[in-house]
Amino acid sequence: MSAPSTVLVTGGAGFIGSHACVELLDHGYELIVVDDYSNSTPQALARVERIAGRFAGALYELDIRDRRSLSAVFDRHPVDAVMHFAAFKSVSASVRQPVEYYDANVGGTTALLRVMQEHEVHRLVYSSSCSVYGDAGPGALEESTPARPTNPYAASKWACEQLLADVCRRRPEYTVLCLRYFNPVGAHPSGLLGEDPRGTPDNLLPYVAQVAVGRRDRLRVFGTDYPTRDGTAIRDYIHVMDLVEAHRLALDHLTDAPGMTVYNLGVGKGSSVLDVIDAFSAACGTRIPYEIAPRRPGDVAELVADARAVARAWGWRPTRDLDTMCRDAWRFQRLNPHGYADSARRTQAD
Ligand code: UD1
């Protein structure tokens, strides 16, 4: 079986999806991109085109739960493999709106699988999350660590993993690579593409970046009483460019043995919230102001990957360190203080 050359990317305008599009276009893939822009913007795809110097084969604005429209896309294009990023990803929103989260994340994946099945597309790279491990630390977590999701977002990702495992058990023609991301951060080195959350950022790096650019007063550090070296929570931050390189390699490995394989994608090194503040302060040249706040409900003390399995299997190793992640995130924020809205404004002014 030959390696895929036309890839359908769901959620291609989002943070990770858009970086993946650049990586795949740079390596000669033809892309069919679908996105409903519920937490993203077409501007991101315009930037993808600018960086890659060419246009993704086709773009469709649709919600993947709309099976009729999704099916029409598969009717129109021969699809070799699917990269499935489209999902809601806020832990706190998932606690407030569990039904919406299950509906979007599990319902979206079931709809996609049904359409793939109808069109005999059997190769999938699935975007999962380290949050499935729940409060499993300390210590580097192997893929065999039992899943114990602690919030609806994580539970929805775990439900999709189980769904995919069941499909692979029943149908030997499927190959699914399920990638559990630790904390993806950073931005494309051009400064054109980065993370641009709607409203107040939930996640640490975009919040810090908005403080640095003057959009917010100060960061709140959620908890300094964790059993960690400086009392703040530890995460395994991974540069989005390293992450998408792993996705490109995944496409080559969709021709390996059928069935489902799960890999952690992390650096294998933990950084505390204070480490991130230090690295970002160095990157932007000013001290990031912060205050101490209580722990955020649902947060865990430490989540660090054991990513040796994917290194052994594919030879993939992340190369970018926390300083590079912060420098690249800062370049994007500095050049786009209001995110992609800046380019919309510039276009209106032209
Ligand atoms: C969570 C999920 C992860 C998901 C990601 C995307 C868990 C365990 N992890 O990551 O799977 O992919 O969201 O949304 O559920 N912090 C502050 N101040 C802030 C923001 C964050 O101190 O303003 C701290 C947090 O308490 C945490 C660390 O920074 O200790 C990282 O937080 P964040 O960037 O939100 O990611 P996770 O919660 O680790």
Side-chain angles (χ1 to χ4, degrees), residues 208-260:
V208 169
Q210 292 193 8
V211 172
V213 84
R215 279 173 66 181
R216 306 195 182 271
D217 281 354
R218 60 170 54 80
L219 175 75
R220 285 184 303 149
V221 174
F222 297 139
T224 52
D225 57 348
Y226 285 106
T228 58
R229 55 187 141 75
D230 62 19
T232 65
I234 289 186
R235 295 289 182 274
D236 184 339
Y237 296 93
I238 173 167
H239 198 298
V240 64
M241 296 308 295
D242 280 321
L243 193 81
V244 298
E245 279 171 23
H247 285 70
R248 196 227 329 139
L249 291 177
L251 291 177
D252 297 337
H253 290 277
L254 280 174
T255 52
D256 296 354
M260 173 153 135

Side-chain angles (χ1 to χ4, degrees), residues 51-287:
I51 297 169
R54 70 188 182 100
F55 178 65
L59 306 179
Y60 293 93
E61 179 173 353
L62 62 85
D63 182 327
I64 54 172
R65 287 169 290 184
D66 174 359
R67 273 174 33 215
R68 185 198 285 256
S69 302
L70 186 60
S71 191
V73 175
F74 278 75
D75 286 340
R76 222 165 291 145
H77 304 277
V79 172
D80 296 319
V82 175
M83 233 176 232
H84 178 29
F85 297 104
F88 289 167
K89 65 156 200 169
S90 161
V91 171
S92 53
S94 79
V95 174
R96 291 192 303 273
Q97 305 170 312
V99 176
E100 284 75 4
Y101 266 68
Y102 276 90
D103 191 19
N105 295 359
V106 184
T109 303
T110 354
L112 174 65
L113 283 169
R114 289 187 64 163
V115 174
M116 285 175 64
Q117 193 168 299
E118 282 156 23
H119 291 81
E120 297 185 4
V121 176
H122 300 131
R123 294 188 283 184
L124 175 73
V125 180
Y126 178 64
S127 166
S128 190
S129 163
C130 67
S131 62
V132 300
Y133 295 120
D135 199 358
L141 302 172
E142 293 178 11
E143 289 82 355
S144 57
T145 309
R148 279 192 311 197
T150 57
N151 56 66
Y153 160 74
S156 72
K157 287 283 166 182
W158 175 234
C160 291
E161 285 202 18
Q162 290 172 288
L163 164 63
L164 292 167
D166 280 336
V167 170
C168 289
R169 268 193 285 275
R170 178 84 187 86
R171 302 282 302 267
E173 62 273 31
Y174 278 81
T175 308
V176 174
L177 294 171
C178 178
L179 306 179
R180 291 181 183 158
Y181 312 153
F182 280 65
N183 286 55
V185 296
H188 189 272
S190 62
L192 286 168
L193 209 56
E195 191 167 7
D196 181 23
R198 289 219 174 133
T200 307
D202 266 340
N203 298 116
L204 179 62
L205 254 290
Y207 203 106
V208 169
Q210 292 193 8
V211 172
V213 84
R215 279 173 66 181
R216 306 195 182 271
D217 281 354
R218 60 170 54 80
L219 175 75
R220 285 184 303 149
V221 174
F222 297 139
T224 52
D225 57 348
Y226 285 106
T228 58
R229 55 187 141 75
D230 62 19
T232 65
I234 289 186
R235 295 289 182 274
D236 184 339
Y237 296 93
I238 173 167
H239 198 298
V240 64
M241 296 308 295
D242 280 321
L243 193 81
V244 298
E245 279 171 23
H247 285 70
R248 196 227 329 139
L249 291 177
L251 291 177
D252 297 337
H253 290 277
L254 280 174
T255 52
D256 296 354
M260 173 153 135
T261 315
V262 178
Y263 289 120
N264 286 336
L265 294 183
V267 171
K269 183 175 181 293
S271 304
S272 70
V273 178
L274 297 185
D275 292 337
V276 172
I277 294 174
D278 286 346
F280 208 99
S281 299
C284 71
T286 44
R287 196 72 212 144

